[in-house]
């Protein structure tokens, strides 16, 4: 019999009634066995996430400030969870131990991981499950990357009957120091557990019923995506579709374990299935976009004949520690698109270096660009996709600043003014919604 790994997000474990609901979901299918919890999330709009409070606690303690406020809220939240769920393990002793370590480390990782740790201990007791501490079996190398031995080491801990609870978000470096994944990283833990346990399915339980074809804040009635491939999702989440951490695909992609995005508030809804190959043949499966990009525009006569021009240009970005996103080019022109968060205040220095090292005829830096990806493996060899997309832009009166299609023919990238982002996403959605 093959088993299922279930990851529950913070909003699905925010209070005792959410936890009881998660427990009843787990128990309603006997194949569900490996459980990965996040830390308790927000119970309502104005509430605080436990992980945010832990980061605040660390930051304040590190600066020698009185951190009793975040600490008291955390104690209160976990205290009432333990009380309402009738849990007996000594949560106060755990919190005292955490308080002793507050501000001890340079990085906040140990503190941040305690939300998942404590929630994992609670859930393990409620489920009468084996508690597996990722500090002992999810291993990072010195360089911070996941050690591939993790799968075997963790797999060996996941044998035997009953439930296993493995807290999300963290593991340990070779010297035992706790390290977390980036924010939202319990999704990655879930994928690692699914692979290590050779699960047949990775269920990712959250508070939405899967992915929509476009951001529902932009297209209110956007259709649910029933099936999406790992590669399509990678492109969509990279471009801003935020339901799943964008690194959660890698552990399960190779063994081909499907991920199902499900909603704890509507558990019968099949959500979205992320698979190796999808059965639906529609050319476009989703549209995602985000604003806040800048574009370096470089023009130089006979650029195409100058050996090493591209290498020199990109090495300037490398030396400045700035990673670029897209590089559309013409015959004597090339542009480099960078997100503003990445660029920071390095724009003028990069311009200076381009000027000095490449002596372009024209050089400019424009900001306020939005990038939109229209994604679908079905567009490969499907005639008319770009025509439909650009037609939609023309009809809506949106100026296309950039258009770029990679050789995979799976993604058409366009660049528009930031202020046109939402209008453009709506127009593309309308153009492809019913196109087979
Ligand atoms: N609790 C962590 C965060 O808020 C990890 C997670 O929930 O996936 O980012």
């Amino acid at each position: 019999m093959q088993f299922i790994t279930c990851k529950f997000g913070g909003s699905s474990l925010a209070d005792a009634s959410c936890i009881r609901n998660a427990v009843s979901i787990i128990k309603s299918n006997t194949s569900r066995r490996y459980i990965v919890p996040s830390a308790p999330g927000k119970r309502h709009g104005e509430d605080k996430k436990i992980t945010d409070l832990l980061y605040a606690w660390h930051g304040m303690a590190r600066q020698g400030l009185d951190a009793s406020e975040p600490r008291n809220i955390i104690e209160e939240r976990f205290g009432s969870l333990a009380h309402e769920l009738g849990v007996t393990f000594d949560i106060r002793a755990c919190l005292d131990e955490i308080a002793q370590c507050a501000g001890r480390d340079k990085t906040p990782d140990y503190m941040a991981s305690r939300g998942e740790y404590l929630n994992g201990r609670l859930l393990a007791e409620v489920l009468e499950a084996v508690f597996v501490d990722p500090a002992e079996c999810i291993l990072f190398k010195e360089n911070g990357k996941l050690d591939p031995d993790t799968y075997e080491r963790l797999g060996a801990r996941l044998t035997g009957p009953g439930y296993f609870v493995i807290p999300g978000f963290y593991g340990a470096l070779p010297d035992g120091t706790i390290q977390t994944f980036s924010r939202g990283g319990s999704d990655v833990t879930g994928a690692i557990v699914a692979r290590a346990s050779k699960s047949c399915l990775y269920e990712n339980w959250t508070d939405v019923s899967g992915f929509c074809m476009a951001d529902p804040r932009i297209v209110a009635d956007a259709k649910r995506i029933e099936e999406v491939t790992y590669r399509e999702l990678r492109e969509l989440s990279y471009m801003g579709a935020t339901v799943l951490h964008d690194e959660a695909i890698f552990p399960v992609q190779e063994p081909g374990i499907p991920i199902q995005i499900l909603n704890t508030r509507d558990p019968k809804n099949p959500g979205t299935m992320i698979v190796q190959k999808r059965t639906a043949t529609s050319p476009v499966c989703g549209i995602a976009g985000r604003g806040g990009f800048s574009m370096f525009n470089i023009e130089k006569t006979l650029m195409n004949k100058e050996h090493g021009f591209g290498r020199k240009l990109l090495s300037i970005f490398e030396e400045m520690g700035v990673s670029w996103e897209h590089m559309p080019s013409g015959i004597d022109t090339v542009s480099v698109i960078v997100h503003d968060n990445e660029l920071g205040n390095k724009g003028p220095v990069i311009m200076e270096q381009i000027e000095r090292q490449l002596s372009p005829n024209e050089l400019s830096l424009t900001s306020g660009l939005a990038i939109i990806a229209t994604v679908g493996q079905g567009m490969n060899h499907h005639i008319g996709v770009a025509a439909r997309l650009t037609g939609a832009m023309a009809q809506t009166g949106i100026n296309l600043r950039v258009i770029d299609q990679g050789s995979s023919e799976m993604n058409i990238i366009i660049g528009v003014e930031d202020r046109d982002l939402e209008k453009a996403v709506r127009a593309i959605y309308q153009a492809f919604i019913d196109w087979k």
Side-chain angles (χ1 to χ4, degrees):
M1 181 169 178
Q2 274 202 301
F3 294 104
I4 297 174
T5 293
C6 306
K7 179 254 165 179
F8 288 89
S11 56
S12 304
L13 302 172
D15 61 20
S17 82
C18 294
I19 294 185
R20 281 192 211 101
N21 182 36
V23 167
S24 84
I25 288 172
I26 294 165
K27 293 193 169 165
S28 67
N29 179 339
T30 52
S31 298
R32 295 188 177 123
R33 192 156 183 209
Y34 306 107
I35 315 302
V36 177
S38 277
K42 292 185 182 188
R43 293 159 294 184
H44 48 80
E46 285 80 54
D47 202 15
K48 307 261 183 299
K49 286 181 74 165
I50 290 288
T51 311
D52 293 335
L53 291 164
L54 287 161
Y55 278 116
W57 185 355
H58 171 82
M60 292 166 92
R62 192 90 193 127
Q63 294 186 56
L65 300 173
D66 173 17
S68 51
E69 207 175 344
R71 183 200 160 137
N72 290 345
I73 306 175
I74 293 169
E75 280 200 21
E76 209 276 308
R77 291 265 319 255
F78 276 113
S80 62
L81 275 178
H83 174 73
E84 283 180 56
L85 295 165
V87 162
T88 57
F89 95 88
D90 195 350
I91 204 142
R92 184 151 294 274
C94 283
L95 285 161
D96 285 344
E97 202 184 312
I98 296 168
Q100 302 258 311
C101 302
R104 177 196 63 184
D105 303 332
K106 272 207 190 106
T107 74
D109 292 29
Y110 167 77
M111 289 295 282
S113 71
R114 297 303 87 186
E116 271 68 12
Y117 173 82
L118 289 173
N119 223 17
R121 294 282 306 265
L122 279 171
L123 194 59
E125 193 174 324
V126 176
L127 276 170
E128 296 180 35
V130 176
F131 177 81
V132 177
D133 191 344
E136 292 158 12
C137 41
I138 295 195
L139 310 172
F140 295 101
K141 295 202 260 186
E142 299 282 9
N143 64 7
K145 299 260 181 291
L146 186 77
D147 183 338
D149 285 349
T150 290
Y151 298 115
E152 224 183 286
R153 190 144 161 178
L154 176 60
R157 300 280 301 271
L158 301 178
T159 53
Y163 295 115
F164 293 81
V165 171
I166 313 97
F169 194 37
Y170 72 95
L173 287 159
D175 67 358
T177 314
I178 298 287
Q179 180 175 286
T180 62
F181 295 101
S182 57
R183 295 301 304 264
S186 300
D187 286 341
V188 185
T189 309
I192 292 170
V193 169
R195 175 159 169 178
S197 62
K198 301 192 169 54
S199 288
C200 58
L201 177 65
Y202 168 22
E203 288 180 346
N204 188 293
W205 289 90
T206 175
D207 54 4
V208 289
S209 299
F211 294 96
C212 292
M213 242 182 104
D215 186 336
R217 285 167 301 186
I218 301 178
V219 181
D221 56 349
K223 227 166 91 176
R224 176 173 61 86
I225 304 180
E226 285 170 28
E227 250 186 351
V228 60
T229 68
Y230 300 120
R231 290 187 62 201
E232 287 169 333
L233 186 69
R234 165 93 185 110
E235 309 257 344
L236 288 170
S237 51
Y238 176 76
M239 279 309 300
T242 51
V243 177
L244 189 74
H245 191 292
D246 66 353
E247 286 168 31
I249 292 163
F250 302 119
V252 290
Q253 187 166 14
E254 201 188 298
I257 302 165
I259 309 175
Q260 190 169 13
I261 309 289
L262 292 153
N263 186 353
T264 39
R265 294 176 199 157
D266 183 13
K268 295 232 158 21
N269 190 317
T272 297
M273 200 65 147
I274 308 162
V275 291
Q276 199 83 270
K277 215 169 177 310
R278 62 182 164 97
T279 40
T281 53
S282 52
V284 166
C285 75
I287 302 133
R290 55 193 171 115
F293 289 88
S294 289
M295 179 158 69
F296 293 83
N297 309 297
I298 302 120
E299 204 171 319
K300 188 171 185 190
T301 314
L302 294 179
M303 174 192 289
N304 63 330
K305 297 240 167 79
E306 190 174 323
H307 293 292
F309 191 92
R311 181 184 50 74
K312 281 186 225 151
L313 174 61
L314 292 183
S315 64
I316 295 173
F317 288 86
E318 186 180 353
E319 275 152 25
M320 293 299 299
V322 170
S323 93
W324 55 277
E325 307 276 335
H326 303 286
M327 195 169 60
S329 64
I331 308 289
D332 284 336
T333 61
V334 62
S335 300
V336 181
I337 300 176
V338 180
H339 198 271
D340 292 345
N341 291 345
E342 182 69 26
L343 187 59
N345 56 8
K346 296 175 183 162
V349 189
I350 294 178
M351 292 283 278
E352 212 178 283
Q353 288 301 319
I354 297 176
E355 194 67 65
R356 208 164 57 77
Q357 297 186 34
L358 298 167
S359 315
N361 301 116
E362 299 282 342
L363 175 64
S364 62
L365 175 59
T366 33
S367 54
L369 196 70
I371 300 289
I372 302 167
T374 301
V375 176
Q377 274 183 310
M379 70 171 69
N380 190 349
H381 292 104
H382 198 114
I383 293 169
V385 181
R388 192 168 265 260
L389 193 150
T390 50
M393 292 301 96
Q395 274 161 25
T396 322
I398 295 173
N399 181 37
L400 280 180
R401 303 282 307 274
V402 177
I403 173 155
D404 198 4
Q405 181 185 270
S407 55
S408 67
E409 275 195 57
M410 196 176 80
N411 189 354
I412 301 179
I413 305 273
I414 59 163
V416 299
E417 300 281 345
D418 254 341
R419 61 166 182 272
D420 287 333
L421 172 64
E422 299 200 352
K423 212 163 43 151
V425 168
R426 279 193 283 271
I428 302 171
Y429 177 81
Q430 285 310 329
F432 288 105
I433 177 73
D434 294 320
W435 206 43
K436 300 277 172 245

